[in-house]
Amino acid sequence: MGYEKFVEIGRVAFVAAGPSKGKLAVIVDVIDQNRALVDGPCSSVTRQMINFKTLQLTKFVVKIGPGARTGTVTKAWNKAEISKKWAESGWAKRQEALAARAAMSDFDRFKLMKAKQARRGMQSQLYGKANKALKAAAK
């Protein structure tokens, strides 16, 4: 299967670096082979030029024309329900999980470690019982 996420007008992109890091923006116009004009009125990304190296393309596309104004981008964003689709995507859930993990305190990390140890203990007990029963049935 070929590549499907092309740089195009209306493509929703995730900003991976810079002041708008972690937000979504729509490619409004391609300036040259290195930069694009993006706008993200629903995610508080101001209309600006961004290097393609700092953008990660998503699977979402909105129907807009080249150089669309902010109001047009907002209407297309809401019509395509990009915020809702993004919240349901695995990518957004992974970002939320990473943010929650980064915000953990030392005690939270300790509790997580103890919970994982308890889970591993239960798993090994169940595995031992199942293995013992299997060996007994084989005899």
Side-chain angles (χ1 to χ4, degrees), residues 44-56:
S44 69
V45 175
T46 58
R47 191 178 185 97
Q48 59 187 312
M49 289 186 304
I50 294 186
N51 196 317
F52 286 126
K53 292 178 184 177
T54 63
L55 292 177
Q56 296 174 356

Side-chain angles (χ1 to χ4, degrees), residues 6-13 25-31 35-39 52 55 57 62 64-68 73:
F6 296 107
V7 174
E8 59 184 315
I9 294 172
R11 174 71 64 181
V12 179
V26 178
I27 296 177
V28 176
D29 210 351
V30 177
I31 298 170
R35 298 174 298 163
L37 180 66
V38 299
D39 196 1
F52 286 126
L55 292 177
L57 303 177
V62 295
I64 57 171
V73 174

Side-chain angles (χ1 to χ4, degrees), residues 126-136:
L126 290 173
Y127 176 75
K129 288 179 184 177
N131 201 13
K132 189 174 181 180
L134 191 63
K135 286 182 181 179

Side-chain angles (χ1 to χ4, degrees), residues 2-125:
Y3 190 72
E4 296 178 356
K5 296 179 191 173
F6 296 107
V7 174
E8 59 184 315
I9 294 172
R11 174 71 64 181
V12 179
F14 180 79
V15 182
S20 300
K21 181 178 180 177
K23 297 178 182 176
L24 293 179
V26 178
I27 296 177
V28 176
D29 210 351
V30 177
I31 298 170
D32 58 25
Q33 65 184 13
N34 296 317
R35 298 174 298 163
L37 180 66
V38 299
D39 196 1
C42 298
S43 59
S44 69
V45 175
T46 58
R47 191 178 185 97
Q48 59 187 312
M49 289 186 304
I50 294 186
N51 196 317
F52 286 126
K53 292 178 184 177
T54 63
L55 292 177
Q56 296 174 356
L57 303 177
T58 66
K59 62 183 178 182
F60 309 118
V61 181
V62 295
K63 293 280 257 180
I64 57 171
R69 294 180 179 188
T70 303
T72 309
V73 174
T74 305
K75 288 176 187 174
W77 182 286
N78 292 333
K79 184 177 179 184
E81 297 180 336
I82 298 298
S83 298
K84 180 183 170 199
K85 290 177 184 175
W86 173 253
E88 293 171 353
S89 72
W91 192 347
K93 291 176 184 174
R94 204 166 41 249
Q95 292 294 326
E96 290 173 15
L98 287 172
R101 192 174 179 101
M104 290 176 84
S105 68
D106 187 40
F107 185 59
D108 291 333
R109 286 190 293 275
F110 174 76
K111 290 191 295 187
L112 178 65
M113 178 191 71
K114 294 309 255 182
K116 285 182 177 181
Q117 285 177 350
R119 184 180 65 193
R120 274 196 306 270
M122 286 189 289
Q123 286 174 340
S124 64
Q125 281 182 345

